[in-house]
Amino acid sequence: MPEGGTETAGNNADVAVADLTRDTATVELARLADILTEANAAYHRDDAPALTDADYDALKRRNAAIEARFPDLGREDSPSEQVGAAPAEGFGKIRHALPMLSLGNAFDAAEVADFDTRIRRYLDLEPDAPLAYVAEPKIDGLSLSLRYEHGALVHAATRGDGTVGEDVTANARTIADIPQTLTDAPDILEVRGEVYMSHADFAALNEARPGGRVFANPRNAAAGSLRQLDPAVTAARPLRFFAYAWGQVSEPLADTQLGAIDRLAALGFPTNPETARCDGPDALLARYADIAARRAELGYDIDGVVYKVDDLALQARLGFRSTTPRWAIAHKFPAETAWTRLLGIDIQVGRTGALSPVARLEPVTVGGVVVSNATLHNEDYIAGRGADGQPIRGSDLRIGDRVEIYRAGDVIPKVRDVDLTVRPAGTQPFVFPDTCPECGSPAPREPGESVRRCAGGLICPAQRVARLKHLVARGALDIDGLGDKEVERFHDLGWLREPADVFTLEARHGSGLQTVANLEGWGETSAANLFRAVAAARRQALPRVLFGLGIRHLGAAAARDLARHYLSWPEFAAAVDAAAPAARAHRAAEEAVLAERAAAQAEDRRARLAEVRTAQWACVPEAARAAWDELTGIDGIGSTLALAVCDALQAPQERAAIDALLAELDPAPPEATADASPVAGKTVVFTGTLEKMTRAEAKARAEALGAKVSGSVSARTDLVVAGPGAGSKAAKATELGIQTLDEDGWLALIAGA
Ligand code: IVH
């Protein structure tokens, strides 16, 4: 969950069963289902019980009592349905041969136009050049990848985290829409698509459910039915499948998206009959309007329309960002809204110290989901001021107000509007705290920022715990058995305070293993498993370490970019240390410019920043400037991120914590470079005009081949690709004796790679 995120389940833990209303009972059942499902997983799957038996039983009894009082509120995933043996083990894992990605979103015509413009710019097409797309409904189910080898279905996997999914092969085999064997198919063929349930089947299924335990919506029903440990249960559920994409294929399916879909249909896969070619963005919008108008008659849930570039050669040129293709986008239907009452405002402190206000709401159903929390963004938002300082909503938000909640797809619900005509008498403006509610440290607003941040750093328990959770989570050190609950518990016991403690825990306690094993809810096996996972986590690739540090603005993609450039922690740390004086000068210049309120326009500010910085720059050693330029020259690394990285490594206490962590890790194995291409590991600079590809395409291609693309020429540059009009960069390359190629030379070099 992103920082300051909110869950949708509210907390009625202290309300007696007899005092629950229908609404609060719904929320409480959801909360209990969450807790008990997690407890089951912790006990059975992870061998690491999260609750004592007594607590577990008490929660189960409470769940049963609420279900007895409100028989029609029983949930599909009701913990009381899981009596008897809970699953002894979950699903096996399957690593996808090619990642299963998600889609970027567009919410209006302007964003669709931007999508088209971005693609044309990337491909260097004229605004009016023909460019065909395919539009198809975005099915609201769950995605599934089916792998066929020599015509036989060998496995089926859910999306999971996109890299590793759950093995649901036995269940997928029970779905009539999914062929078990194919004739005339490529030797290797991964077909991807959506498992869903039709409206009619969904209604009939709910009708027939015992005890009124209905599914909330077809999507939940489909997901719950596919993710059954007993395939016989899946077989009894009316699941359907639409194919709309593919993963690994041993030979191309066609030249176009539409052709590939036709080929999948010919192989026996159901494909969506609403799939249509559209020539340009206007045709896409017309198609969207048409499908939106017939949405209710389709017979199954859709939550938007997906647009894809039709020509597969262009798709290949466009490629992918870290998690989404450049050649496709989901045009989502408008968000759902509902009105309810604002009961309170809580302040959560996140990993980077940000104070995030969270609205506590009277539970309300928004688009099929019960919402009792919503984000309020920041202090200004509550006060009724937008990011630009201009008034929004015409009013501040006050506890007791009637507010409009808005939810788009999976995004965190937001408070969007307030009804002043029903504001109760005597309400007061909300006073946003200027100290941290967790540790009492000052929580100032940095100049130009809308967010207050706790200045306590690692002193603040909330920041400490959030950082520890982030460090051991998926994408970072990924330590099995050390989830959020365990981190909180070990932190509260005083066992985990700073990152390195994760690795010293075992030794610090004489026998840490025994100490953990003796904890209530733990045992020898689970403690041994935990420490095995901790030991394994000492060996980490650099991007995971960088990401795991939880530095502000440093996401997984930027961590990869930095790791690709610097290759090892010592190199990275030395470079950041070297750049520090320049970072300080840059910050001073930024602050000076911000203070000069006169330069209001962003354009002016940038020019003024350059001016002021030049003055500050004079006192910065040449080596520091070079290190800063190199850092900010890395594609994807802007000055904001560079400053945050420098800050994190220069603050003495933070640095000591980072160094202590690094001392516990084994030296990172060198980054796997793309199949030893001729440019793998090299730093390349593109300059001048490129004629056969756009700059963006050239960069993306070079990076895909394992090269680092930099914006400036330095002694570390390996190769300069200079097109016509190349100026000072090409000259500098010659001066430094760096290999320089023209565009054709570059293309020849990477041909076949
Ligand atoms: S294409 C690389 N097409 O939407 C792009 N996705 O938000 C692969 N989805 O995970 C996805 N209908 O589960 C595609 N016609 C459609 C879709 C569709 C539904 C789902 C899919 C995906 C999610 C992304």
Side-chain angles (χ1 to χ4, degrees):
M1 193 181 304
E3 193 179 338
T6 57
E7 331 84 44
T8 44
N11 199 333
N12 296 291
D14 297 322
V15 183
V17 173
D19 294 334
L20 289 168
T21 63
R22 269 187 75 79
D23 281 347
T24 52
T26 307
V27 176
E28 178 64 350
L29 285 174
R31 189 185 73 91
L32 291 168
D34 276 357
I35 297 177
L36 290 167
T37 306
E38 256 195 74
N40 282 337
Y43 187 88
H44 294 284
R45 188 193 62 209
D46 309 334
D47 278 339
L51 296 177
T52 63
D53 286 355
D55 286 347
Y56 180 83
D57 290 341
L59 291 173
K60 263 197 116 149
R61 274 196 305 275
R62 177 170 169 83
N63 187 75
I66 300 172
E67 284 177 345
R69 216 185 128 211
F70 300 101
D72 58 332
L73 292 184
R75 298 164 55 92
E76 147 60 10
D77 58 354
S78 161
S80 31
E81 279 218 328
Q82 299 167 10
V83 275
E89 55 191 40
F91 297 95
K93 300 272 183 274
I94 290 181
R95 178 169 289 273
H96 302 301
L98 290 175
M100 286 182 82
L101 299 169
S102 55
L103 293 169
N105 291 327
F107 287 98
D108 56 31
E111 288 176 1
V112 175
D114 286 348
F115 165 68
D116 178 66
T117 308
R118 275 198 304 276
I119 289 178
R120 286 171 191 276
R121 199 178 305 136
Y122 195 95
L123 297 172
D124 203 17
L125 295 177
E126 294 297 326
D128 49 0
L131 178 58
Y133 293 95
V134 167
E136 59 197 40
K138 184 168 188 303
I139 316 298
D140 200 5
L142 73 158
S143 47
L144 186 67
S145 183
L146 303 167
R147 185 175 174 94
Y148 294 84
E149 290 177 6
H150 306 286
L153 176 63
V154 293
H155 68 226
T158 61
R159 178 161 170 240
D161 63 2
T163 309
V164 176
E166 284 169 327
D167 183 347
V168 290
T169 311
N171 298 352
R173 287 190 197 283
T174 70
I175 300 176
D177 276 353
I178 295 178
Q180 302 275 332
T181 54
L182 306 174
T183 29
D184 294 332
D187 284 348
I188 297 198
L189 171 63
E190 280 182 8
V191 175
R192 292 173 176 181
E194 204 84 352
V195 173
Y196 69 101
M197 201 177 280
S198 76
H199 289 156
D201 287 339
F202 169 71
L205 176 67
N206 265 351
E207 193 85 3
R209 298 276 293 157
R213 294 195 194 295
V214 296
F215 290 105
N217 55 48
R219 207 202 82 81
N220 288 0
S225 302
L226 183 67
R227 298 182 68 263
Q228 283 288 339
L229 287 164
D230 179 0
V233 177
T234 308
R237 303 276 171 83
L239 292 176
R240 317 283 313 254
F241 182 76
F242 276 131
Y244 52 63
W246 54 96
Q248 196 182 17
V249 280
S250 54
E251 61 192 69
L253 292 173
D255 295 335
T256 61
Q257 177 75 29
L258 206 55
I261 297 300
D262 285 346
R263 178 85 199 282
L264 292 177
L267 286 168
F269 293 93
T271 55
N272 194 290
E274 299 290 339
T275 307
R277 230 183 94 121
C278 294
D279 293 311
D282 292 341
L284 288 175
L285 292 174
R287 183 70 188 160
Y288 172 88
D290 175 36
I291 291 179
R294 292 182 294 112
R295 182 179 179 184
E297 297 149 29
L298 293 177
Y300 46 87
D301 273 358
I302 65 173
D303 56 348
V305 181
V306 182
Y307 306 148
K308 302 175 182 172
V309 169
D310 191 31
D311 184 332
L312 296 185
L314 294 183
Q315 281 192 10
R317 278 181 64 193
L318 286 157
F320 300 88
R321 299 180 212 90
S322 57
T323 60
T324 56
R326 287 194 190 84
W327 44 264
I329 201 163
H331 188 176
K332 301 291 274 294
F333 292 134
E336 321 250 7
T337 65
W339 287 87
T340 188
R341 194 158 304 281
L342 178 58
L343 301 177
I345 297 176
D346 287 351
I347 306 291
Q348 288 181 345
V349 182
R351 176 167 54 81
T352 61
L355 267 51
S356 306
V358 176
R360 302 298 177 203
L361 306 165
E362 210 166 85
V364 62
T365 305
V366 193
V369 172
V370 179
V371 171
S372 48
N373 301 323
T375 177
L376 289 169
H377 306 288
N378 56 46
E379 177 175 13
D380 286 349
Y381 190 82
I382 298 173
R385 285 188 301 269
D388 52 4
Q390 295 303 306
I392 48 169
R393 291 186 312 260
S395 166
D396 63 340
L397 294 174
R398 300 185 182 186
I399 294 168
D401 271 343
R402 196 166 161 70
V403 291
E404 189 185 26
I405 309 305
Y406 137 111
R407 202 183 137 257
D410 291 336
V411 305
I412 299 165
K414 296 177 173 151
V415 171
R416 163 158 97 171
D417 205 357
V418 52
D419 184 353
L420 290 180
T421 63
V422 294
R423 173 170 280 175
T427 59
Q428 296 295 323
F430 180 74
V431 180
F432 203 94
D434 56 7
T435 55
C436 172
E438 298 285 342
C439 72
S441 300
R445 263 174 88 156
E446 283 164 32
E449 281 234 17
S450 51
V451 172
R452 281 189 180 275
R453 271 174 216 280
C454 162
L458 289 173
I459 293 169
C460 175
Q463 286 191 55
R464 250 185 351 237
V465 171
R467 284 204 220 175
L468 287 165
K469 286 179 183 170
H470 175 82
L471 176 73
V472 299
R474 246 194 338 211
L477 302 194
D478 194 8
I479 303 184
D480 258 359
L482 201 51
D484 286 359
K485 291 238 167 62
E486 291 75 26
V487 168
E488 274 167 28
R489 187 161 180 198
F490 291 177
H491 175 267
D492 294 347
L493 285 164
W495 295 357
L496 291 184
R497 288 180 67 85
E498 56 165 277
D501 294 349
V502 171
F503 295 98
T504 57
L505 179 61
E506 191 172 8
R508 245 182 313 134
H509 283 269
S511 168
L513 199 153
Q514 205 49 54
T515 315
V516 172
N518 290 343
L519 278 182
E520 206 166 301
W522 285 73
E524 301 267 342
T525 319
S526 47
N529 285 346
L530 171 66
F531 287 117
R532 219 184 341 264
V534 168
R538 288 183 188 269
R539 206 173 154 68
Q540 292 287 347
L542 185 56
R544 285 174 174 269
V545 178
L546 291 175
F547 176 64
L549 295 180
I551 294 171
R552 205 165 136 198
H553 307 299
L554 181 50
R560 268 196 303 277
D561 293 338
L562 287 171
R564 208 184 278 143
H565 190 85
Y566 293 108
L567 301 176
S568 74
W569 172 263
E571 271 222 51
F572 168 73
V576 173
D577 290 343
R584 280 193 292 274
H586 186 94
R587 151 123 347 108
E590 259 185 16
E591 284 174 2
V593 172
L594 266 172
E596 291 176 5
R597 296 255 166 223
Q601 292 298 310
E603 277 307 312
D604 295 352
R605 255 211 309 271
R606 256 200 295 283
R608 184 74 187 118
L609 178 63
E611 227 172 272
V612 173
R613 208 189 70 164
T614 311
Q616 303 265 6
W617 231 216
C619 350
V620 175
E622 164 69 28
R625 273 185 264 167
W628 172 262
D629 285 342
E630 181 179 337
L631 178 59
T632 52
I634 301 172
D635 199 35
I637 309 296
S639 58
T640 309
L641 170 59
L643 280 177
V645 168
C646 290
D647 282 352
L649 267 65
Q650 295 311 304
Q653 199 204 1
E654 308 272 323
R655 180 59 173 269
I658 294 176
D659 286 343
L661 171 68
L662 263 296
E664 295 296 333
L665 299 180
D666 295 339
E671 260 225 274
T673 40
D675 294 299
S677 83
V679 295
K682 302 235 163 115
T683 300
V684 182
V685 173
F686 291 96
T687 179
T689 314
L690 300 179
E691 284 160 340
K692 300 199 169 127
M693 55 193 161
T694 60
R695 187 67 72 83
E697 201 180 344
K699 267 188 186 167
R701 179 96 178 98
E703 284 173 356
L705 292 172
K708 304 170 258 177
V709 178
S710 174
S712 60
V713 176
S714 75
R716 287 166 159 275
T717 311
D718 296 300
L719 180 64
V720 171
V721 181
S728 61
K729 289 184 194 174
K732 187 156 181 202
T734 314
E735 189 186 309
L736 293 172
I738 293 166
Q739 185 189 5
T740 305
L741 292 176
D742 63 10
E743 190 175 4
D744 286 336
W746 162 256
L747 289 172
L749 177 66
I750 62 169

